[in-house]
Amino acid sequence: MTANAEHPNARILRAVYADLTKIADYAAPDILVHLADRTPIDPRPCRGATAVLAHEQALIRMTHGTLVMDVQQIAANDHFGAVLGTLRATRPQPVGVPFCGLWRFVDGCIVEHWENAADPALLSGILAPRSGPAPL
């Protein structure tokens, strides 16, 4: 790979952030996602490709389809990826929250993801409440 070529895992992350429902195309069946509003007392991980896809679809629904993951930087290698950007939506009310997504890969497949929002409480408070794990 040349110095200017994008790592294949960076291309995967770019595709996922362009369309969150694409995560299922790149996720291991037993993927583990650590939600942004986790706490040491209530870590609430999301387990399995089906549950992770449902989590992303719920986030899109909660924003009435206005969700945009505005990616500013991606770094990736064979094992890890990091994405910096801003989560934006206009509904149910305007929001812009910086995020840092951390990812772990095995053989080009996403096996683990840590959602990190600069202000998870603000984000959770803006999005419509739902049963189960908090939105992000």
Side-chain angles (χ1 to χ4, degrees):
M1 189 162 66
T2 66
N4 293 332
E6 187 172 57
H7 191 280
N9 289 340
R11 287 193 295 274
I12 288 171
L13 293 173
R14 198 169 300 288
V16 168
Y17 280 96
D19 178 353
L20 294 177
T21 65
K22 295 290 183 192
I23 194 167
D25 296 345
Y26 303 102
D30 59 347
I31 184 175
L32 179 63
V33 173
H34 308 276
L35 304 177
D37 65 340
R38 67 193 175 274
T39 67
I41 295 168
D42 186 6
R44 286 187 284 175
C46 190
R47 296 177 189 275
T50 301
V52 168
L53 178 58
H55 166 69
E56 300 300 346
Q57 290 169 330
L59 184 59
I60 293 165
R61 275 192 311 278
M62 282 185 275
T63 63
H64 305 271
T66 66
L67 179 66
V68 174
M69 301 300 283
D70 183 12
V71 172
Q72 284 124 13
Q73 294 178 330
I74 296 179
N77 63 21
D78 290 344
H79 308 283
F80 296 100
V83 180
L84 299 174
T86 303
L87 179 150
R88 300 182 194 284
T90 57
R91 295 183 66 201
Q93 64 187 34
V95 62
V97 177
F99 71 83
C100 175
L102 301 174
W103 302 79
R104 188 166 67 87
F105 292 86
V106 173
D107 297 327
C109 196
I110 301 167
V111 297
E112 198 164 13
H113 171 46
W114 291 262
E115 296 178 342
N116 297 289
D119 192 340
L122 169 69
L123 188 57
S124 293
I126 288 172
L127 298 176
R130 66 182 175 106
S131 61
L136 178 82

